[in-house]
């Protein structure tokens, strides 16, 4: 990539009491790039993403967003980031549109943008519904809508399609694909679905135990696998991401 | 205008208000419940109208005369004063004597015929105040001397036996009942209820709300936007205090309507005091909830703080009954301070200048706790 990285992660570490959740990760993400973080449960995806989001502080290492550290630039950086957390529950007794209005107001945005976003994520029918009465998938789409309100330069989605049926998942992919075509937003998403990474992202990072096992474009990962492991000697190079993943982590990538 | 409607503070206020008003339980506990409480306690303790006392009489012959019965002082008294005779379904005999008294409230004495054992059981159950029997024209009264009701019944009735004229010309003329507003129990109670309402509303409305939003990871989601952190708390507190104003207003209106309660002191002083009390409790509430994301812990903390104050701060009864050494401590509780102040304005016509110091202290309490809470505040 020739352009300056919008997100630069340099040798980042993070521990919780006894768990060394992230152990020395380096990552550069460029404008318009869609990156998937793939990894089994407990790999450290959420911890890494939340450090990039400025919600958690790394113990060691550096994170730069558009060249700036979080410290001292929080106000400015918050404006250009959109995100959805792995688990957020909005205010139960607020209607869907009211929820959008509330979050829009944090960015100084009004009704019009809320209407746009509501249409974008296909929730017009649910405009007046209380958040508590939305289905799981509708809630995920609302969370995505909230993340998109400020037309973020950087979008960070933590498992945006977990728990959705295949149809709803495809709808979310469509929304994100449209976004990719229409803007230069950079995206990091974490997922357990190979297909999601393959369909949506042009760069895939496989992590486990807090370190990057392998990263690259899909063809990179599958084709030019130079580090030949024992298994490959028997079976040849992996033919899809699933096989590669099992090979790398020794486990399946299911929730 | 549009700019203001889109502002984060306004949208936060709206969101909080909607959340509050859409919760029916809030309306019940905040508005209906205090009114019911004032009504219940007010009627129980204020409108001392007629009382009914039950007296057991051992020996059927003291209520009615059967052929061959000897003379009875009690029976003579009841007959002379035309005490109505009743026969229950089970054949139990009783007489009823009503003694009107427009100053102290009338008394209806019900004399029930019982044997000694039944009378003792009834006495233990609290169904009786007094047991009487008579031996050779000598009346004996049996009652628990520790029970003030029993004592009163004894004093009233034995006096009546000695001076039957009281039945016609009840209380002595030297009794001048003080029934002016301000001296009744309800006058004591309503200001206390108002203050307790403020405390509870802040504790549950502010503390619990914050803890719940933290445990839902909503706070974390919110601060991942350019939302100003203070706006979040300011909106929450503003909505709460507004709600508290309405609750107190309704309770006041209601108790004026039913009990004719009035504010004898300065209304601006009351407003000032009310606001500073609200701020004190809102600050305490923020402090309480600054660190935990477990609603169970929040629950415990809230009870830990509010329960002792509810009991000790003189909401339902005066704290002067507590031992003298404890009074200086009790007086320093925020709820005591607020209740004493508000009550003073209501019934002792405290003026503006007298509330300035306590109001300033409560404001300071609120500001100190709020600031400390905000410093220690965990957003996730
Ligand atoms: N606040 C915390 N306190 C203690 N341990 C934590 C905390 N957050 C994460 N961990 C631990 O850090 C490790 C990485 O967790 P993380 O949530 O980043 O995994 P993940 O890759 O997002 O997993 P999943 O796919 O299940 O969401 C796990 O072992 C987890 O138990
Ligand atoms: Mg996760």
């Amino acid at each position: 990539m020739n352009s300056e990285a919008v997100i630069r992660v340099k040798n980042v570490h993070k521990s919780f009491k006894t768990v060394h959740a992230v152990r020395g990760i380096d990552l550069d993400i460029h404008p318009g790039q869609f990156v998937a973080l793939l990894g089994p449960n407990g790999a450290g995806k959420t911890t890494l993403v939340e450090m990039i989001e400025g919600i958690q502080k790394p113990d060691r290492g550096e994170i730069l967003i558009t060249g700036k550290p979080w410290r001292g630039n929080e106000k400015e950086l918050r404006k250009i980031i959109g995100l959805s957390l792995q688990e957020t529950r909005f205010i139960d007794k607020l209607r869907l549109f009211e929820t959008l209005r509330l979050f829009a107001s944090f960015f100084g945005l009004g009704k019009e943008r809320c209407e746009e976003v509501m249409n974008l994520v296909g929730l017009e029918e649910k405009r007046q519904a209380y958040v508590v009465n939305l289905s799981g998938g509708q809630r995920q789409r609302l969370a995505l809508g909230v993340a998109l309100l400020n037309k973020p330069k950087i979008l960070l989605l933590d498992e945006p399609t977990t728990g959705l049926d295949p149809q709803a998942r495809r709808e979310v992919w469509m929304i994100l694909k449209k976004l990719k075509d229409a803007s230069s937003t950079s995206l990091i998403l974490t997922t357990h679905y190979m297909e999601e990474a393959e369909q949506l992202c042009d760069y895939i990072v496989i992590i486990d135990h807090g370190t990057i096992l392998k990263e690259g474009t899909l063809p990179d990962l599958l084709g030019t696998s130079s580090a030949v492991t024992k298994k490959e000697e028997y079976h040849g190079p992996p033919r899809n991401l699933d096989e590669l993943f099992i090979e790398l982590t020794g486990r399946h990538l299911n929730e | 205008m549009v700019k203001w409607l889109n502002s984060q503070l306004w949208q936060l206020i709206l969101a909080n208000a909607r959340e509050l008003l859409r919760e029916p339980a809030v309306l019940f506990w905040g508005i209906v419940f205090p009114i019911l409480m004032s009504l219940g306690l007010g009627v129980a303790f204020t409108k001392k109208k007629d009382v009914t006392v039950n007296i057991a009489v051992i020996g059927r012959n003291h209520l009615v005369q059967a052929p061959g019965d000897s003379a009875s002082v009690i029976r003579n008294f009841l007959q002379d004063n035309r005490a109505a005779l009743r026969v229950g379904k089970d054949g139990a005999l009783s007489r009823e004597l009503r003694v009107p008294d427009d100053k102290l409230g009338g008394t209806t004495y019900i004399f029930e015929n019982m044997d000694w054992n039944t009378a003792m059981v009834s006495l233990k159950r609290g169904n009786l105040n007094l047991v009487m029997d008579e031996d050779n024209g000598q009346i004996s009264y049996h009652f628990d001397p520790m029970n003030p009701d029993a004592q009163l019944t004894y004093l009233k009735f034995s006096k009546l036996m000695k001076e039957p004229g009281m039945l016609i010309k009840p209380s002595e003329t030297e009794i001048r009942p003080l029934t002016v507003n301000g001296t009744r129990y309800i006058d004591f109670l309503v200001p206390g209820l108002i203050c307790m309402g403020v405390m509870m509303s802040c504790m549950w409305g502010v503390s619990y709300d914050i803890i719940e939003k933290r445990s839902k990871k909503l706070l974390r989601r919110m601060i991942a936007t350019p939302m100003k952190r203070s706006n979040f708390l300011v909106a929450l507190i503003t909505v709460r205090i507004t709600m508290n104003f309405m609750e107190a207003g309704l309770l006041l209106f209601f108790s004026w309507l039913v009990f004719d309660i009035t504010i004898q002191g300065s209304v601006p002083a009351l407003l000032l005091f009310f606001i500073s009390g609200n701020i004190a409790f809102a600050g305490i509430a923020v402090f309480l909830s600054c660190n935990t994301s477990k609603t169970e812990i929040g629950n415990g903390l809230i009870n830990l703080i509010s329960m002792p104050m509810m009991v000790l701060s003189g909401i339902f009864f005066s704290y002067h009954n507590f031992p003298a050494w404890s009074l200086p401590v009790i007086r320093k509780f925020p709820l005591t301070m607020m209740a004493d102040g508000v009550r003073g304005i209501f019934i002792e016509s405290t003026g503006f200048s007298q509330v300035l110091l306590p109001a300033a202290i409560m404001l300071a309490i609120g500001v100190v706790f709020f600031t400390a809470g905000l410093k220690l505040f965990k957003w996730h």
Side-chain angles (χ1 to χ4, degrees):
Chain A
M1 294 272 169
N2 41 16
S3 49
E4 168 104 6
V6 279
I7 299 175
R8 172 155 284 174
V9 177
K10 279 193 266 182
N11 191 28
V12 160
H13 289 257
K14 176 83 183 175
S15 296
F16 303 100
K17 285 165 207 142
T18 56
V19 188
H20 200 163
V22 172
R23 2 185 147 191
I25 284 191
D26 293 281
L27 197 60
D28 271 5
I29 289 159
H30 298 273
Q33 207 177 15
F34 273 31
V35 176
L37 291 184
L38 264 176
N41 291 130
K45 303 182 295 293
T46 298
T47 309
L48 176 61
V49 168
E50 290 192 350
M51 285 190 291
I52 296 172
E53 287 162 348
I55 296 177
Q56 300 198 41
K57 285 194 182 62
D59 299 336
R60 194 137 59 84
E62 194 180 25
I63 291 175
L64 299 175
I65 310 290
T66 62
K68 296 179 181 113
W70 272 104
R71 216 185 144 82
N73 298 297
E74 175 148 9
K75 217 174 156 195
E76 183 187 333
L77 295 182
R78 288 270 165 247
K79 290 183 191 154
I80 59 164
I81 287 185
L83 58 91
S84 75
L85 301 174
Q86 186 167 353
E87 36 175 333
T88 310
R89 288 160 56 207
F90 293 107
I91 300 174
D92 285 347
K93 283 297 176 80
L94 227 47
R95 296 180 200 281
L96 182 132
F97 195 71
E98 292 165 353
T99 305
L100 288 172
R101 283 281 273 159
L102 177 64
F103 277 86
S105 76
F106 299 158
F107 296 96
L109 298 166
K111 248 194 182 121
E112 299 72 25
R113 182 58 189 156
C114 298
E115 301 276 0
E116 275 172 36
V117 163
M118 191 173 59
N119 295 340
L120 187 65
V121 296
L123 287 170
E124 304 91 324
E125 285 165 46
K126 291 287 162 189
R127 182 193 182 101
Q128 294 297 331
Y130 286 133
V131 169
V132 67
N133 295 333
L134 295 178
S135 76
Q138 290 161 346
R139 253 178 252 189
Q140 296 267 53
R141 271 187 284 161
L142 171 60
L144 178 60
V146 171
L148 293 173
L149 276 169
N150 58 331
K151 299 188 178 160
K153 203 165 167 177
I154 298 169
L155 188 59
L156 299 137
L157 306 175
D158 199 352
E159 302 195 15
T161 64
T162 298
L164 298 192
D165 64 40
Q167 175 58 28
R169 181 170 303 142
R170 235 158 282 259
E171 279 169 23
V172 170
W173 294 351
M174 286 310 297
I175 296 167
L176 292 175
K177 273 184 181 156
K178 265 195 254 166
L179 186 78
K180 192 171 171 64
D181 296 338
S183 68
S184 65
T185 297
S186 309
L187 167 74
I188 298 184
L189 68 77
T190 72
T191 183
H192 295 263
Y193 302 109
M194 300 296 170
E195 202 191 346
E196 189 158 298
E198 288 173 9
Q199 289 272 326
L200 212 54
C201 298
D202 29 43
Y203 199 79
I204 295 168
V205 179
I206 298 177
I207 65 177
D208 195 9
H209 301 298
T211 51
I212 295 180
L213 298 181
K214 202 150 197 171
E215 60 184 308
T217 60
L218 189 63
D220 280 349
L221 292 178
L222 298 183
T224 59
S225 175
S226 54
V228 178
T229 63
K230 270 195 182 143
K231 272 183 201 159
E232 281 169 9
E233 284 169 13
Y234 298 114
H235 303 290
R239 269 156 296 134
N240 62 35
L241 207 47
D242 253 317
E243 279 183 19
L244 174 68
F245 191 85
I246 296 166
E247 196 186 293
L248 289 171
T249 65
R251 23 183 182 158
H252 271 284
L253 223 200
N254 294 322
E255 298 131 277
Chain B
M1 185 62 191
V2 171
K3 198 144 185 252
W4 165 242
L5 288 181
N6 291 342
S7 83
Q8 34 174 285
L9 185 58
W10 175 243
Q11 286 294 329
L12 277 164
I13 287 176
L14 264 186
N16 277 301
R18 284 172 171 147
E19 206 185 348
L20 189 68
L21 295 174
R22 286 170 186 169
E23 191 56 70
V26 168
L27 299 181
F28 176 78
W29 291 111
I31 294 173
V32 182
F33 186 68
I35 288 179
L36 287 181
M37 199 132 96
S38 74
L39 194 64
L41 293 171
V43 168
F45 293 107
T46 302
K47 295 221 154 175
K48 265 218 166 130
K49 276 202 173 150
D50 292 5
V51 292
T52 300
V53 296
N54 294 301
I55 298 175
V57 177
I58 313 293
R60 187 182 163 93
N61 61 318
H62 298 304
L63 292 187
V64 285
Q65 185 170 24
D69 278 350
S70 54
S72 156
V73 180
I74 299 176
R75 188 180 68 223
N76 284 346
F77 172 83
L78 293 175
Q79 273 171 354
D80 288 352
N81 293 297
R82 303 203 163 82
L85 186 64
R86 303 255 149 82
V87 184
K89 275 186 213 121
D90 49 356
L93 212 56
S94 66
R95 297 196 82 137
E96 192 177 311
L97 179 64
R98 214 186 104 64
V99 183
D101 184 329
D102 53 3
K103 282 184 185 162
L104 298 182
T107 311
T108 303
Y109 298 91
I110 296 177
F111 303 87
E112 292 173 83
N113 172 235
M114 296 182 192
D115 61 48
W116 180 258
N117 289 337
T118 320
M120 285 305 112
V121 172
S122 290
L123 198 67
K124 282 180 198 153
R125 288 185 185 161
N127 299 339
L128 281 182
N129 293 21
L130 202 61
V131 180
M132 279 166 67
D133 62 5
E134 184 180 331
D135 189 24
N136 285 330
Q138 186 63 46
I139 301 175
S140 324
Y141 298 91
H142 311 265
F143 61 93
D144 174 8
M146 300 295 281
N147 178 349
D149 266 355
Q151 261 192 35
L152 186 64
T153 308
Y154 159 69
L155 288 173
K156 268 169 51 173
F157 185 68
S158 59
K159 183 158 191 197
L160 201 62
M161 292 277 294
K162 282 182 197 121
E163 303 172 38
M166 274 174 54
L167 269 166
I168 304 141
K169 194 171 68 65
S171 317
E172 285 112 305
T173 41
E174 70 253 28
I175 295 180
R176 301 236 188 283
L178 280 174
T179 51
V180 289
N181 293 355
T183 58
R184 303 164 302 168
Y185 178 65
I186 190 80
D187 299 302
F188 177 86
L189 180 68
V190 166
L193 281 183
I194 288 176
C195 298
M196 188 182 82
V198 168
M199 178 179 78
M200 292 316 244
S201 163
C202 286
M203 291 296 160
W204 292 103
V206 176
S207 276
Y208 201 79
D209 193 86
I210 289 174
I211 295 170
E212 205 198 352
K213 290 201 166 107
R214 186 183 289 123
S215 79
K216 282 164 72 175
K217 308 220 164 165
L218 186 56
L219 291 187
R220 161 190 276 249
R221 180 64 190 88
M222 283 176 147
I223 56 145
T225 69
M227 181 190 78
K228 253 181 85 180
R229 296 171 186 210
S230 56
N231 276 348
F232 172 80
L233 291 174
V234 168
L236 184 61
I237 291 173
T238 308
V239 169
R240 241 328 125 173
I241 294 183
T242 311
M243 180 77 187
N244 291 349
F245 255 100
M246 293 192 289
E247 287 176 12
L250 274 169
L251 178 58
L252 198 56
F253 173 74
F254 177 83
S255 48
W256 167 77
L257 212 62
V258 177
F259 299 108
D260 202 19
I261 281 189
T262 49
I263 304 166
Q264 311 204 353
S266 141
V267 173
L270 182 63
L271 288 179
L272 172 73
F273 215 78
F274 189 77
I275 291 177
S276 42
N278 266 283
I279 289 175
F281 283 113
I284 293 172
V286 168
F287 183 76
L288 267 192
S289 62
C290 69
N291 213 281
T292 178
S293 56
K294 294 210 171 65
T295 44
E296 296 84 359
I297 293 183
N299 230 321
L301 283 176
I302 292 171
N303 285 328
L304 183 73
I305 297 295
S306 60
M307 284 297 178
M309 287 206 265
M310 242 163 79
V311 176
L312 299 175
S313 290
I315 298 304
F316 297 101
F317 51 87
S318 167
Y319 57 77
H320 291 101
N321 298 321
F322 291 111
W325 59 262
S326 65
L327 295 186
V329 182
I330 289 177
R331 284 207 187 89
K332 289 194 181 70
F333 292 163
L335 187 60
T336 318
M337 242 185 266
M338 187 178 178
D340 282 356
V342 170
R343 203 171 271 144
I345 297 168
F346 263 86
I347 61 190
E348 293 161 26
S349 49
T350 312
F352 200 81
S353 57
Q354 288 152 282
V355 303
L356 283 179
L357 181 65
I361 294 176
M362 285 199 304
L363 267 177
I365 291 177
V367 171
V368 166
F369 275 101
F370 182 87
T371 316
L374 196 58
K375 269 252 149 56
L376 300 171
F377 206 90
K378 263 174 55 184
W379 291 90
H380 46 79

